[in-house]
Amino acid sequence: AREASEAAALEVDGRPVGRVRRTVVADVDGTHRYPTEVVQWLHVVPGTTGFVLLTFSTPLVGLATELCSVFDAVGGSLQWLW
């Protein structure tokens, strides 16, 4: 079940990208449920209809702000080299 969510349309390397951050409850084995922070970056592959979806997650919700900064550094630095 989703607890919280935020979405943004951003620009990376001059191209539009999507970013979603949400907190979900992860069901580990049917009996144990843990809040988990998830960040996703959607990058369209230039000149194609394809895309790359980068998904990061952590069960360390107490460190979510710090870890999301790391996730954003990776997701926001993607560049296409041909």
Side-chain angles (χ1 to χ4, degrees):
R2 187 179 328 180
E3 293 179 359
S5 182
E6 68 180 51
L10 305 170
E11 189 173 293
V12 173
D13 198 28
R15 300 184 185 345
V17 299
R19 178 189 177 276
V20 176
R21 178 178 173 178
R22 66 184 183 276
T23 304
V24 299
V25 177
D27 186 346
V28 177
D29 58 10
T31 58
H32 296 94
R33 297 169 59 87
Y34 300 97
T36 302
E37 195 73 17
V38 179
V39 175
Q40 293 182 302
W41 283 80
L42 178 71
H43 292 265
V44 177
V45 179
T48 74
T49 58
F51 62 89
V52 173
L53 178 64
L54 303 175
T55 301
F56 307 92
S57 65
T58 181
L60 302 174
V61 293
L63 295 175
T65 299
E66 292 82 1
L67 289 170
C68 285
S69 293
V70 174
F71 302 158
D72 288 344
V74 175
S77 65
L78 187 69
Q79 294 183 356
W80 299 100
L81 302 175
W82 304 104

